[in-house]
Short mmCIF file of all heavy atoms in Angstrom, two decimals:
data_model
loop_
_atom_site.label_atom_id
_atom_site.label_comp_id
_atom_site.label_asym_id
_atom_site.label_seq_id
_atom_site.Cartn_x
_atom_site.Cartn_y
_atom_site.Cartn_z
N THR A 255 7.69 -3.69 -12.17
CA THR A 255 8.65 -4.54 -12.89
C THR A 255 9.79 -5.02 -12.00
O THR A 255 10.23 -6.15 -12.11
CB THR A 255 9.23 -3.78 -14.09
OG1 THR A 255 9.80 -2.53 -13.63
CG2 THR A 255 8.15 -3.49 -15.11
N GLY A 256 10.26 -4.16 -11.09
CA GLY A 256 11.41 -4.52 -10.27
C GLY A 256 11.07 -5.18 -8.96
O GLY A 256 11.92 -5.83 -8.35
N ASN A 257 9.84 -5.01 -8.48
CA ASN A 257 9.42 -5.57 -7.18
C ASN A 257 8.07 -6.25 -7.32
O ASN A 257 7.14 -6.00 -6.55
CB ASN A 257 9.34 -4.46 -6.12
CG ASN A 257 10.57 -3.60 -6.06
OD1 ASN A 257 10.58 -2.49 -6.57
ND2 ASN A 257 11.63 -4.10 -5.43
N SER A 258 7.96 -7.12 -8.28
CA SER A 258 6.67 -7.75 -8.61
C SER A 258 6.10 -8.56 -7.45
O SER A 258 4.88 -8.76 -7.38
CB SER A 258 6.82 -8.64 -9.84
OG SER A 258 7.79 -9.64 -9.61
N GLU A 259 6.96 -9.02 -6.53
CA GLU A 259 6.48 -9.83 -5.42
C GLU A 259 5.56 -9.05 -4.48
O GLU A 259 4.81 -9.65 -3.69
CB GLU A 259 7.65 -10.42 -4.63
CG GLU A 259 8.50 -9.42 -3.87
CD GLU A 259 9.60 -8.76 -4.70
OE1 GLU A 259 9.54 -8.88 -5.95
OE2 GLU A 259 10.51 -8.15 -4.11
N TYR A 260 5.60 -7.73 -4.52
CA TYR A 260 4.77 -6.91 -3.65
C TYR A 260 3.37 -6.68 -4.23
O TYR A 260 2.44 -6.37 -3.50
CB TYR A 260 5.41 -5.54 -3.42
CG TYR A 260 6.64 -5.55 -2.55
CD1 TYR A 260 7.90 -5.71 -3.11
CD2 TYR A 260 6.55 -5.40 -1.17
CE1 TYR A 260 9.04 -5.72 -2.31
CE2 TYR A 260 7.67 -5.40 -0.37
CZ TYR A 260 8.92 -5.56 -0.95
OH TYR A 260 10.04 -5.57 -0.16
N PHE A 261 3.23 -6.82 -5.54
CA PHE A 261 2.01 -6.38 -6.23
C PHE A 261 1.12 -7.55 -6.62
O PHE A 261 1.61 -8.61 -7.02
CB PHE A 261 2.38 -5.59 -7.49
CG PHE A 261 3.10 -4.30 -7.22
CD1 PHE A 261 4.48 -4.29 -7.06
CD2 PHE A 261 2.40 -3.11 -7.12
CE1 PHE A 261 5.16 -3.11 -6.81
CE2 PHE A 261 3.06 -1.92 -6.87
CZ PHE A 261 4.45 -1.92 -6.71
N SER A 262 -0.18 -7.34 -6.52
CA SER A 262 -1.15 -8.31 -7.01
C SER A 262 -2.42 -7.56 -7.40
O SER A 262 -2.68 -6.44 -6.93
CB SER A 262 -1.47 -9.37 -5.95
OG SER A 262 -2.05 -8.77 -4.80
N ASP A 263 -3.24 -8.18 -8.25
CA ASP A 263 -4.50 -7.57 -8.65
C ASP A 263 -5.54 -7.74 -7.56
O ASP A 263 -5.55 -8.74 -6.83
CB ASP A 263 -5.02 -8.21 -9.94
CG ASP A 263 -4.12 -7.91 -11.13
OD1 ASP A 263 -3.50 -6.83 -11.14
OD2 ASP A 263 -4.04 -8.75 -12.04
N THR A 264 -6.41 -6.77 -7.43
CA THR A 264 -7.50 -6.87 -6.47
C THR A 264 -8.70 -7.56 -7.10
O THR A 264 -8.82 -7.66 -8.33
CB THR A 264 -7.94 -5.47 -5.99
OG1 THR A 264 -8.44 -4.74 -7.11
CG2 THR A 264 -6.81 -4.72 -5.36
N THR A 265 -9.58 -8.04 -6.24
CA THR A 265 -10.86 -8.56 -6.71
C THR A 265 -11.85 -7.40 -6.78
O THR A 265 -12.14 -6.75 -5.78
CB THR A 265 -11.40 -9.64 -5.76
OG1 THR A 265 -10.45 -10.71 -5.68
CG2 THR A 265 -12.73 -10.18 -6.25
N ILE A 266 -12.34 -7.11 -7.98
CA ILE A 266 -13.20 -5.94 -8.18
C ILE A 266 -14.63 -6.30 -7.81
O ILE A 266 -15.25 -7.18 -8.41
CB ILE A 266 -13.14 -5.45 -9.63
CG1 ILE A 266 -11.69 -5.15 -10.04
CG2 ILE A 266 -14.01 -4.23 -9.82
CD1 ILE A 266 -11.03 -4.07 -9.24
N THR A 267 -15.16 -5.62 -6.81
CA THR A 267 -16.55 -5.83 -6.39
C THR A 267 -17.33 -4.52 -6.34
O THR A 267 -18.55 -4.53 -6.36
CB THR A 267 -16.61 -6.49 -5.00
OG1 THR A 267 -15.91 -5.67 -4.05
CG2 THR A 267 -15.96 -7.88 -5.03
N GLU A 268 -16.64 -3.41 -6.29
CA GLU A 268 -17.29 -2.11 -6.14
C GLU A 268 -17.78 -1.60 -7.48
O GLU A 268 -17.07 -1.64 -8.49
CB GLU A 268 -16.28 -1.12 -5.54
CG GLU A 268 -16.86 0.22 -5.18
CD GLU A 268 -15.83 1.11 -4.51
OE1 GLU A 268 -14.81 0.58 -4.02
OE2 GLU A 268 -16.05 2.34 -4.48
N SER A 269 -18.99 -1.10 -7.51
CA SER A 269 -19.57 -0.58 -8.74
C SER A 269 -18.77 0.61 -9.24
O SER A 269 -18.42 1.51 -8.48
CB SER A 269 -21.02 -0.16 -8.49
OG SER A 269 -21.58 0.42 -9.64
N GLY A 270 -18.47 0.63 -10.55
CA GLY A 270 -17.74 1.72 -11.15
C GLY A 270 -16.25 1.57 -11.12
O GLY A 270 -15.53 2.31 -11.80
N ILE A 271 -15.74 0.63 -10.33
CA ILE A 271 -14.29 0.39 -10.24
C ILE A 271 -13.91 -0.69 -11.25
O ILE A 271 -14.50 -1.78 -11.27
CB ILE A 271 -13.88 -0.04 -8.83
CG1 ILE A 271 -14.20 1.07 -7.82
CG2 ILE A 271 -12.40 -0.39 -8.78
CD1 ILE A 271 -13.46 2.37 -8.05
N VAL A 272 -12.92 -0.40 -12.09
CA VAL A 272 -12.49 -1.37 -13.11
C VAL A 272 -11.04 -1.78 -12.95
O VAL A 272 -10.58 -2.70 -13.64
CB VAL A 272 -12.70 -0.80 -14.53
CG1 VAL A 272 -14.16 -0.46 -14.77
CG2 VAL A 272 -11.83 0.44 -14.76
N TRP A 273 -10.31 -1.13 -12.06
CA TRP A 273 -8.88 -1.42 -11.89
C TRP A 273 -8.51 -1.37 -10.43
O TRP A 273 -9.04 -0.55 -9.67
CB TRP A 273 -8.05 -0.41 -12.68
CG TRP A 273 -6.56 -0.57 -12.59
CD1 TRP A 273 -5.76 -1.32 -13.40
CD2 TRP A 273 -5.68 0.02 -11.62
NE1 TRP A 273 -4.44 -1.22 -13.00
CE2 TRP A 273 -4.36 -0.39 -11.91
CE3 TRP A 273 -5.87 0.89 -10.53
CZ2 TRP A 273 -3.25 0.00 -11.17
CZ3 TRP A 273 -4.76 1.28 -9.78
CH2 TRP A 273 -3.48 0.85 -10.10
N GLY A 274 -7.62 -2.26 -10.03
CA GLY A 274 -7.15 -2.23 -8.65
C GLY A 274 -5.86 -2.99 -8.48
O GLY A 274 -5.56 -3.94 -9.22
N LYS A 275 -5.07 -2.57 -7.49
CA LYS A 275 -3.81 -3.22 -7.16
C LYS A 275 -3.67 -3.31 -5.65
O LYS A 275 -4.06 -2.40 -4.91
CB LYS A 275 -2.61 -2.45 -7.72
CG LYS A 275 -2.43 -2.53 -9.22
CD LYS A 275 -1.99 -3.92 -9.68
CE LYS A 275 -1.80 -3.95 -11.19
NZ LYS A 275 -1.42 -5.30 -11.66
N ASN A 276 -3.10 -4.43 -5.19
CA ASN A 276 -2.70 -4.56 -3.80
C ASN A 276 -1.18 -4.52 -3.73
O ASN A 276 -0.49 -5.10 -4.57
CB ASN A 276 -3.18 -5.90 -3.22
CG ASN A 276 -4.68 -5.95 -3.04
OD1 ASN A 276 -5.30 -4.96 -2.67
ND2 ASN A 276 -5.26 -7.10 -3.30
N ILE A 277 -0.65 -3.82 -2.74
CA ILE A 277 0.78 -3.82 -2.46
C ILE A 277 0.92 -4.26 -1.02
O ILE A 277 0.46 -3.57 -0.09
CB ILE A 277 1.42 -2.44 -2.68
CG1 ILE A 277 1.14 -1.94 -4.10
CG2 ILE A 277 2.92 -2.53 -2.49
CD1 ILE A 277 0.04 -0.93 -4.17
N LYS A 278 1.53 -5.42 -0.80
CA LYS A 278 1.45 -6.07 0.51
C LYS A 278 2.80 -6.13 1.22
O LYS A 278 3.83 -6.37 0.61
CB LYS A 278 0.90 -7.49 0.35
CG LYS A 278 0.67 -8.22 1.67
CD LYS A 278 0.11 -9.62 1.46
CE LYS A 278 -0.12 -10.32 2.80
NZ LYS A 278 -0.63 -11.69 2.63
N ARG A 279 2.75 -5.92 2.51
CA ARG A 279 3.84 -6.10 3.47
C ARG A 279 5.09 -5.29 3.15
O ARG A 279 6.16 -5.81 2.89
CB ARG A 279 4.20 -7.58 3.63
CG ARG A 279 4.98 -7.84 4.92
CD ARG A 279 5.33 -9.30 5.15
NE ARG A 279 6.01 -9.45 6.42
CZ ARG A 279 7.33 -9.32 6.58
NH1 ARG A 279 8.10 -9.08 5.55
NH2 ARG A 279 7.88 -9.46 7.77
N ILE A 280 4.90 -3.99 3.20
CA ILE A 280 6.03 -3.07 3.14
C ILE A 280 6.43 -2.75 4.59
O ILE A 280 5.62 -2.23 5.35
CB ILE A 280 5.67 -1.78 2.39
CG1 ILE A 280 5.30 -2.10 0.94
CG2 ILE A 280 6.80 -0.77 2.45
CD1 ILE A 280 4.76 -0.92 0.17
N ILE A 281 7.66 -3.08 4.97
CA ILE A 281 8.15 -2.83 6.32
C ILE A 281 9.02 -1.57 6.29
O ILE A 281 9.96 -1.48 5.49
CB ILE A 281 8.96 -4.02 6.87
CG1 ILE A 281 8.12 -5.31 6.81
CG2 ILE A 281 9.41 -3.74 8.31
CD1 ILE A 281 6.85 -5.27 7.63
N ILE A 282 8.70 -0.61 7.15
CA ILE A 282 9.41 0.65 7.17
C ILE A 282 9.70 1.05 8.62
O ILE A 282 9.09 0.51 9.56
CB ILE A 282 8.59 1.77 6.49
CG1 ILE A 282 7.18 1.84 7.09
CG2 ILE A 282 8.54 1.57 4.99
CD1 ILE A 282 6.33 2.96 6.51
N PRO A 283 10.62 1.98 8.83
CA PRO A 283 10.84 2.47 10.20
C PRO A 283 9.60 3.16 10.74
O PRO A 283 8.84 3.79 9.99
CB PRO A 283 11.99 3.49 10.03
CG PRO A 283 12.63 3.15 8.73
CD PRO A 283 11.54 2.61 7.87
N SER A 284 9.36 3.03 12.03
CA SER A 284 8.28 3.78 12.65
C SER A 284 8.64 5.28 12.62
O SER A 284 9.80 5.65 12.43
CB SER A 284 8.04 3.32 14.09
OG SER A 284 9.24 3.42 14.84
N ASN A 285 7.63 6.10 12.81
CA ASN A 285 7.83 7.55 12.66
C ASN A 285 7.12 8.28 13.80
O ASN A 285 5.96 8.67 13.69
CB ASN A 285 7.28 8.00 11.29
CG ASN A 285 7.63 9.44 10.97
OD1 ASN A 285 8.56 10.01 11.52
ND2 ASN A 285 6.86 10.04 10.07
N ASN A 286 7.83 8.43 14.91
CA ASN A 286 7.25 9.09 16.08
C ASN A 286 7.84 10.48 16.24
O ASN A 286 9.05 10.68 16.05
CB ASN A 286 7.53 8.28 17.35
CG ASN A 286 6.68 7.03 17.43
OD1 ASN A 286 5.48 7.08 17.19
ND2 ASN A 286 7.28 5.91 17.75
N PHE A 287 7.01 11.44 16.60
CA PHE A 287 7.49 12.80 16.82
C PHE A 287 6.41 13.60 17.55
O PHE A 287 5.25 13.18 17.65
CB PHE A 287 7.83 13.49 15.49
CG PHE A 287 6.74 13.43 14.46
CD1 PHE A 287 5.69 14.35 14.46
CD2 PHE A 287 6.74 12.44 13.49
CE1 PHE A 287 4.69 14.29 13.52
CE2 PHE A 287 5.74 12.37 12.53
CZ PHE A 287 4.71 13.30 12.54
N THR A 288 6.81 14.74 18.08
CA THR A 288 5.88 15.67 18.72
C THR A 288 6.14 17.06 18.15
O THR A 288 7.30 17.41 17.87
CB THR A 288 6.07 15.70 20.25
OG1 THR A 288 7.44 15.97 20.56
CG2 THR A 288 5.65 14.38 20.87
N PRO A 289 5.10 17.86 17.97
CA PRO A 289 3.70 17.47 18.11
C PRO A 289 3.26 16.56 16.97
O PRO A 289 3.80 16.63 15.87
CB PRO A 289 2.96 18.80 18.06
CG PRO A 289 3.84 19.67 17.21
CD PRO A 289 5.25 19.28 17.54
N GLU A 290 2.30 15.71 17.26
CA GLU A 290 1.85 14.73 16.28
C GLU A 290 1.16 15.37 15.08
O GLU A 290 0.97 14.72 14.05
CB GLU A 290 0.89 13.73 16.93
CG GLU A 290 1.55 12.86 17.99
CD GLU A 290 0.63 11.78 18.51
OE1 GLU A 290 -0.44 11.56 17.89
OE2 GLU A 290 0.94 11.18 19.55
N THR A 291 0.82 16.63 15.18
CA THR A 291 0.14 17.33 14.09
C THR A 291 1.12 18.00 13.12
O THR A 291 0.69 18.71 12.20
CB THR A 291 -0.81 18.39 14.66
OG1 THR A 291 -0.06 19.25 15.54
CG2 THR A 291 -1.94 17.75 15.42
N ASP A 292 2.42 17.77 13.31
CA ASP A 292 3.43 18.39 12.45
C ASP A 292 3.44 17.70 11.09
O ASP A 292 4.06 16.65 10.90
CB ASP A 292 4.81 18.30 13.10
CG ASP A 292 5.87 19.10 12.35
OD1 ASP A 292 5.60 19.51 11.20
OD2 ASP A 292 6.96 19.29 12.91
#
């Protein structure tokens, strides 16, 4: 409701799937650290 510009319906092609959403272009800070398995 508040960020509708990010959301859109997907095109359903997969068997058994009846619902889908796309959320596009979320820009966030990168997240680098060591060890990478933390």
